[in-house]
Amino acid sequence: MNWETVIGLEIHTQLATRSKIFSASATRYGAEPNTQANLVDLGFPGVLPVLNGEVVNMAIKFGLATQCEISPRSIFARKNYFYPDLPKGYQISQYELPIVHGGQLEIVLSDGSAKTVRITRAHLEEDAGKSLHEDFHGQTGIDLNRAGTPLLEIVSEPDMRSPGEAVAYMRRIHTLVRYLGISDGNMQEGSFRCDANVSVRKLGSEALGTRTELKNLNSFRFVERAIEVEVERQIDLIEDGGQVIQETRLYDPDRNETRAMRSKEEANDYRYFPDPDLLPIVIDQARIGHIAAGLPELPDAKRKRFIADYELSAYDADVLTASREQAEFYEAVVTGLGGQPKLAANWVMGELSAALNREDLDITASRVSATQLAELLQRIDDKTISGKIAKQVFDALWNDGGEVEAIIEARGLRQISDAGAIEALVDEILEAHPRQVEEYRSGKEKVFGFFVGQVMKQSEGKANPQSVNEILKIKLKS
Amino acid sequence: MSPEDVYKLGMLARLEITPGEIDDVVAKLTDIVAMVDQLQAVDTDGVVPMAHPLDRSQRLREDEVTEEDRRALYQQSAAAVERGLYLVPKVIE
């Protein structure tokens, strides 16, 4: 039997505001417990929420970037459930009339093809606090610093057909929210997390199968693995004559399996109703127009421009535009270099990227600046140094800093292109290896590579390889 | 409304309803729901649902942090605190 996987994602993105969604407490990550939780966040009687205007602007930015409709009027609702990290007994969220709805996003699959994923809606809500279950002699510790942190929950249609597509979509959203500057997307700190709705159906069937919801997937790898094992579980279950039950499940990365949450943990009757403490959010065209005018170039547009303007492959363009900072760095190198976009792409994605990864640095903290890299590549371009020598210079720049020119001069790395000097080197090598010269002249042409290697070695890699080749050919013929 | 409905609502609202009270609560809630039924008989086609009785829109705040840390004061009314955390009965096993 052939099965088709159907996946929809709900992505919770923490919005990068200074203060909370309904109170003027700070949202800074990592503060001492409960030092950023005021009376509103603690749910004291009589307090009232006041909406942070910036979260509205951020939601509009997201809506514009995903071709969503921006609701002229949207409302907040109370989602009722009891848990100690939610002191009010309800979460302020949006149910009917979310702030944006009905958009779409293009994703690029591993085979390079594109696919459109529809976005059902994105709504504003407040985050809950954190429960710490260890070390409190049978009690649970509650930190409410996170309570009231603004979230944008982005809900997709069930348009994805494989774990790979789900991850591709999640990555696109991740890239997008960082481009827009509305979230830092930091997954370790929980700023970007995901629930996946997963079902299977017989290939060719129109009707959706019963879905399960996988909760709190906080890395791209976990999303992929959790969906994989859940799909396997559902198929096995059905093929054994069983039925999938609609339920919430947790992924256990250590055991690589999903398990049902106990029914007590699963509050599925939230009794939503409009929050009487908050008036409808009204968004006029002027506000939308103002925000639209200030939007940065979006990843998709940037990717297409890189392919058109720099003649990069779809893959290279995709990698280089994965973050706004990396794309800007790359463009600064190309500008400094005055062309050679492919050379610049190879170095940003190769040497530079490897060096950043080695030290786990972000490109904004690169030890070699875009200007320095452009200067270095210019020296390759004008044949002052070879690509191989350039790597030495790059390492020197990375480790000790300094100027490209100064490093080349100080270390005597300038490429030898002078025909006389290379001839002298070639003569020296041919004289030292009469046997190989004999071999070559008697038809064993493979030996040629040996001579090139010897000359390069003798010149410490500085001889211009092209000249070496040419001169060797002439000398060996005579 | 059935007693099961009322027990379930009680559970969701964390209200204990004893078997001795259940008939009374069912009767009262049934009366209230009957009143809602009466309201539902009104033809509301073309009427925009009202989200709030005030005909105003939400005022927006500047994104500024104006609250300072007053943890010590707020935690005075907590039943138990440790290392800055509020302690509550264990919520998972």
Short mmCIF file of all heavy atoms in Angstrom, two decimals, chain A residues 396-432:
data_model
loop_
_atom_site.label_atom_id
_atom_site.label_comp_id
_atom_site.label_asym_id
_atom_site.label_seq_id
_atom_site.Cartn_x
_atom_site.Cartn_y
_atom_site.Cartn_z
N ALA A 396 46.00 34.00 7.79
CA ALA A 396 46.76 35.02 8.51
C ALA A 396 45.86 36.17 8.93
O ALA A 396 45.90 36.64 10.08
CB ALA A 396 47.91 35.54 7.65
N LEU A 397 44.99 36.60 8.01
CA LEU A 397 44.04 37.68 8.31
C LEU A 397 43.12 37.26 9.46
O LEU A 397 42.84 38.01 10.39
CB LEU A 397 43.16 37.98 7.10
CG LEU A 397 43.72 38.82 5.97
CD1 LEU A 397 42.75 38.83 4.81
CD2 LEU A 397 44.00 40.25 6.44
N TRP A 398 42.64 36.05 9.36
CA TRP A 398 41.68 35.52 10.33
C TRP A 398 42.33 35.45 11.72
O TRP A 398 41.74 35.86 12.71
CB TRP A 398 41.19 34.14 9.89
CG TRP A 398 40.14 33.59 10.80
CD1 TRP A 398 40.34 32.86 11.93
CD2 TRP A 398 38.72 33.78 10.69
NE1 TRP A 398 39.13 32.56 12.52
CE2 TRP A 398 38.13 33.11 11.79
CE3 TRP A 398 37.90 34.43 9.77
CZ2 TRP A 398 36.75 33.08 11.98
CZ3 TRP A 398 36.53 34.39 9.97
CH2 TRP A 398 35.97 33.73 11.07
N ASN A 399 43.56 34.91 11.75
CA ASN A 399 44.18 34.66 13.05
C ASN A 399 44.84 35.88 13.66
O ASN A 399 44.77 36.09 14.86
CB ASN A 399 45.21 33.53 12.94
CG ASN A 399 44.53 32.21 12.61
OD1 ASN A 399 43.45 31.91 13.15
ND2 ASN A 399 45.12 31.44 11.72
N ASP A 400 45.51 36.69 12.80
CA ASP A 400 46.31 37.79 13.35
C ASP A 400 45.86 39.16 12.89
O ASP A 400 46.44 40.16 13.30
CB ASP A 400 47.79 37.60 12.96
CG ASP A 400 48.27 36.18 13.24
OD1 ASP A 400 47.96 35.69 14.35
OD2 ASP A 400 48.89 35.55 12.37
N GLY A 401 44.88 39.21 11.99
CA GLY A 401 44.45 40.49 11.46
C GLY A 401 45.49 41.08 10.53
O GLY A 401 46.41 40.38 10.10
N GLY A 402 45.40 42.36 10.23
CA GLY A 402 46.40 43.01 9.38
C GLY A 402 45.85 43.36 8.01
O GLY A 402 44.65 43.28 7.77
N GLU A 403 46.78 43.76 7.13
CA GLU A 403 46.41 44.20 5.79
C GLU A 403 46.81 43.14 4.78
O GLU A 403 47.88 42.54 4.89
CB GLU A 403 47.16 45.50 5.44
CG GLU A 403 46.88 46.66 6.37
CD GLU A 403 45.58 47.36 6.02
OE1 GLU A 403 45.22 47.34 4.81
OE2 GLU A 403 44.91 47.88 6.92
N VAL A 404 45.98 42.96 3.77
CA VAL A 404 46.25 41.95 2.75
C VAL A 404 47.62 42.20 2.10
O VAL A 404 48.46 41.30 2.03
CB VAL A 404 45.14 41.97 1.68
CG1 VAL A 404 45.49 41.06 0.51
CG2 VAL A 404 43.81 41.53 2.31
N GLU A 405 47.84 43.45 1.64
CA GLU A 405 49.10 43.79 0.96
C GLU A 405 50.31 43.50 1.84
O GLU A 405 51.28 42.88 1.42
CB GLU A 405 49.12 45.29 0.60
CG GLU A 405 48.54 45.63 -0.75
CD GLU A 405 49.03 44.73 -1.87
OE1 GLU A 405 50.26 44.47 -1.99
OE2 GLU A 405 48.18 44.27 -2.62
N ALA A 406 50.20 43.95 3.09
CA ALA A 406 51.31 43.81 4.03
C ALA A 406 51.64 42.34 4.26
O ALA A 406 52.82 41.96 4.32
CB ALA A 406 50.97 44.50 5.35
N ILE A 407 50.62 41.51 4.38
CA ILE A 407 50.86 40.08 4.61
C ILE A 407 51.55 39.45 3.41
O ILE A 407 52.52 38.70 3.54
CB ILE A 407 49.53 39.34 4.93
CG1 ILE A 407 48.98 39.82 6.28
CG2 ILE A 407 49.74 37.83 4.95
CD1 ILE A 407 47.56 39.37 6.57
N ILE A 408 51.08 39.82 2.21
CA ILE A 408 51.68 39.26 1.00
C ILE A 408 53.16 39.65 0.91
O ILE A 408 54.03 38.82 0.65
CB ILE A 408 50.92 39.73 -0.26
CG1 ILE A 408 49.51 39.13 -0.28
CG2 ILE A 408 51.68 39.36 -1.54
CD1 ILE A 408 48.59 39.67 -1.36
N GLU A 409 53.43 40.92 1.21
CA GLU A 409 54.82 41.41 1.12
C GLU A 409 55.68 40.80 2.21
O GLU A 409 56.75 40.25 1.95
CB GLU A 409 54.86 42.94 1.21
CG GLU A 409 54.32 43.66 -0.02
CD GLU A 409 54.89 43.14 -1.33
OE1 GLU A 409 56.10 42.82 -1.39
OE2 GLU A 409 54.11 43.02 -2.31
N ALA A 410 55.20 40.87 3.44
CA ALA A 410 55.99 40.41 4.58
C ALA A 410 56.35 38.93 4.44
O ALA A 410 57.44 38.51 4.83
CB ALA A 410 55.23 40.64 5.87
N ARG A 411 55.45 38.17 3.89
CA ARG A 411 55.71 36.72 3.79
C ARG A 411 56.26 36.33 2.42
O ARG A 411 56.45 35.14 2.15
CB ARG A 411 54.42 35.94 4.06
CG ARG A 411 53.84 36.28 5.41
CD ARG A 411 52.75 35.32 5.78
NE ARG A 411 52.27 35.63 7.12
CZ ARG A 411 51.58 34.80 7.86
NH1 ARG A 411 51.31 33.59 7.40
NH2 ARG A 411 51.17 35.14 9.06
N GLY A 412 56.47 37.34 1.57
CA GLY A 412 57.02 37.06 0.24
C GLY A 412 56.16 36.09 -0.56
O GLY A 412 56.65 35.13 -1.13
N LEU A 413 54.85 36.35 -0.55
CA LEU A 413 53.93 35.41 -1.18
C LEU A 413 53.58 35.78 -2.61
O LEU A 413 52.86 35.07 -3.29
CB LEU A 413 52.64 35.33 -0.35
CG LEU A 413 52.79 34.77 1.05
CD1 LEU A 413 51.48 34.88 1.80
CD2 LEU A 413 53.27 33.32 1.02
N ARG A 414 54.11 36.91 -3.06
CA ARG A 414 53.76 37.39 -4.39
C ARG A 414 54.08 36.31 -5.43
O ARG A 414 55.12 35.68 -5.41
CB ARG A 414 54.57 38.66 -4.69
CG ARG A 414 54.13 39.42 -5.89
CD ARG A 414 54.91 40.72 -5.98
NE ARG A 414 54.43 41.71 -5.02
CZ ARG A 414 53.38 42.49 -5.25
NH1 ARG A 414 52.73 42.39 -6.37
NH2 ARG A 414 53.00 43.36 -4.34
N GLN A 415 53.13 36.09 -6.31
CA GLN A 415 53.26 35.06 -7.33
C GLN A 415 54.41 35.39 -8.29
O GLN A 415 54.59 36.55 -8.66
CB GLN A 415 51.94 34.99 -8.08
CG GLN A 415 51.86 33.93 -9.15
CD GLN A 415 50.42 33.60 -9.46
OE1 GLN A 415 49.83 32.69 -8.90
NE2 GLN A 415 49.83 34.36 -10.34
N ILE A 416 55.17 34.37 -8.67
CA ILE A 416 56.25 34.59 -9.63
C ILE A 416 55.69 34.40 -11.04
O ILE A 416 55.31 33.30 -11.42
CB ILE A 416 57.40 33.59 -9.40
CG1 ILE A 416 57.90 33.70 -7.95
CG2 ILE A 416 58.53 33.82 -10.38
CD1 ILE A 416 58.77 32.55 -7.51
N SER A 417 55.60 35.49 -11.78
CA SER A 417 55.09 35.40 -13.14
C SER A 417 56.18 35.73 -14.14
O SER A 417 56.02 35.55 -15.35
CB SER A 417 53.91 36.36 -13.34
OG SER A 417 52.86 35.98 -12.50
N ASP A 418 57.29 36.21 -13.61
CA ASP A 418 58.40 36.60 -14.47
C ASP A 418 58.95 35.37 -15.20
O ASP A 418 59.38 34.40 -14.57
CB ASP A 418 59.50 37.23 -13.59
CG ASP A 418 60.74 37.52 -14.40
OD1 ASP A 418 60.65 38.36 -15.32
OD2 ASP A 418 61.80 36.90 -14.12
N ALA A 419 58.92 35.40 -16.54
CA ALA A 419 59.27 34.23 -17.34
C ALA A 419 60.71 33.77 -17.05
O ALA A 419 60.97 32.57 -16.92
CB ALA A 419 59.10 34.53 -18.82
N GLY A 420 61.61 34.73 -16.91
CA GLY A 420 63.00 34.38 -16.65
C GLY A 420 63.16 33.60 -15.38
O GLY A 420 63.85 32.58 -15.32
N ALA A 421 62.49 34.06 -14.32
CA ALA A 421 62.61 33.42 -13.02
C ALA A 421 62.04 32.00 -13.08
O ALA A 421 62.61 31.06 -12.51
CB ALA A 421 61.86 34.24 -11.97
N ILE A 422 60.92 31.86 -13.80
CA ILE A 422 60.31 30.52 -13.89
C ILE A 422 61.18 29.59 -14.73
O ILE A 422 61.37 28.43 -14.40
CB ILE A 422 58.87 30.63 -14.43
CG1 ILE A 422 58.00 31.36 -13.40
CG2 ILE A 422 58.29 29.24 -14.72
CD1 ILE A 422 56.58 31.62 -13.83
N GLU A 423 61.76 30.16 -15.79
CA GLU A 423 62.65 29.34 -16.61
C GLU A 423 63.80 28.79 -15.79
O GLU A 423 64.14 27.61 -15.90
CB GLU A 423 63.23 30.20 -17.75
CG GLU A 423 62.45 30.05 -19.05
CD GLU A 423 63.19 30.72 -20.20
OE1 GLU A 423 64.30 30.27 -20.53
OE2 GLU A 423 62.64 31.70 -20.73
N ALA A 424 64.34 29.63 -14.95
CA ALA A 424 65.45 29.21 -14.11
C ALA A 424 65.04 28.06 -13.20
O ALA A 424 65.76 27.07 -13.04
CB ALA A 424 65.95 30.40 -13.27
N LEU A 425 63.82 28.20 -12.64
CA LEU A 425 63.29 27.14 -11.77
C LEU A 425 63.12 25.83 -12.54
O LEU A 425 63.49 24.76 -12.08
CB LEU A 425 61.92 27.56 -11.22
CG LEU A 425 61.90 28.46 -9.97
CD1 LEU A 425 60.49 29.00 -9.77
CD2 LEU A 425 62.34 27.68 -8.75
N VAL A 426 62.54 25.97 -13.74
CA VAL A 426 62.29 24.78 -14.57
C VAL A 426 63.61 24.10 -14.92
O VAL A 426 63.74 22.87 -14.79
CB VAL A 426 61.49 25.18 -15.83
CG1 VAL A 426 61.47 24.03 -16.85
CG2 VAL A 426 60.07 25.58 -15.47
N ASP A 427 64.60 24.90 -15.33
CA ASP A 427 65.90 24.32 -15.69
C ASP A 427 66.47 23.53 -14.53
O ASP A 427 66.98 22.42 -14.68
CB ASP A 427 66.90 25.44 -16.07
CG ASP A 427 66.56 26.01 -17.47
OD1 ASP A 427 65.82 25.31 -18.21
OD2 ASP A 427 67.01 27.13 -17.77
N GLU A 428 66.36 24.12 -13.37
CA GLU A 428 66.90 23.51 -12.16
C GLU A 428 66.26 22.13 -11.93
O GLU A 428 66.94 21.14 -11.65
CB GLU A 428 66.56 24.43 -10.98
CG GLU A 428 67.43 24.26 -9.75
CD GLU A 428 66.97 25.24 -8.66
OE1 GLU A 428 66.74 26.45 -9.01
OE2 GLU A 428 66.79 24.82 -7.52
N ILE A 429 64.94 22.07 -12.05
CA ILE A 429 64.22 20.82 -11.82
C ILE A 429 64.55 19.77 -12.89
O ILE A 429 64.77 18.60 -12.58
CB ILE A 429 62.68 21.08 -11.79
CG1 ILE A 429 62.31 21.96 -10.59
CG2 ILE A 429 61.88 19.77 -11.74
CD1 ILE A 429 62.63 21.38 -9.23
N LEU A 430 64.60 20.21 -14.15
CA LEU A 430 64.89 19.25 -15.21
C LEU A 430 66.29 18.66 -15.05
O LEU A 430 66.50 17.48 -15.27
CB LEU A 430 64.74 19.92 -16.59
CG LEU A 430 63.32 20.39 -16.95
CD1 LEU A 430 63.28 20.92 -18.39
CD2 LEU A 430 62.30 19.27 -16.78
N GLU A 431 67.22 19.52 -14.63
CA GLU A 431 68.59 19.07 -14.43
C GLU A 431 68.68 18.04 -13.31
O GLU A 431 69.43 17.07 -13.39
CB GLU A 431 69.46 20.28 -14.09
CG GLU A 431 70.66 20.43 -15.01
CD GLU A 431 71.46 21.66 -14.63
OE1 GLU A 431 72.29 21.56 -13.70
OE2 GLU A 431 71.20 22.71 -15.24
N ALA A 432 67.87 18.28 -12.27
CA ALA A 432 67.93 17.41 -11.11
C ALA A 432 67.26 16.05 -11.35
O ALA A 432 67.44 15.13 -10.57
CB ALA A 432 67.28 18.11 -9.90
#
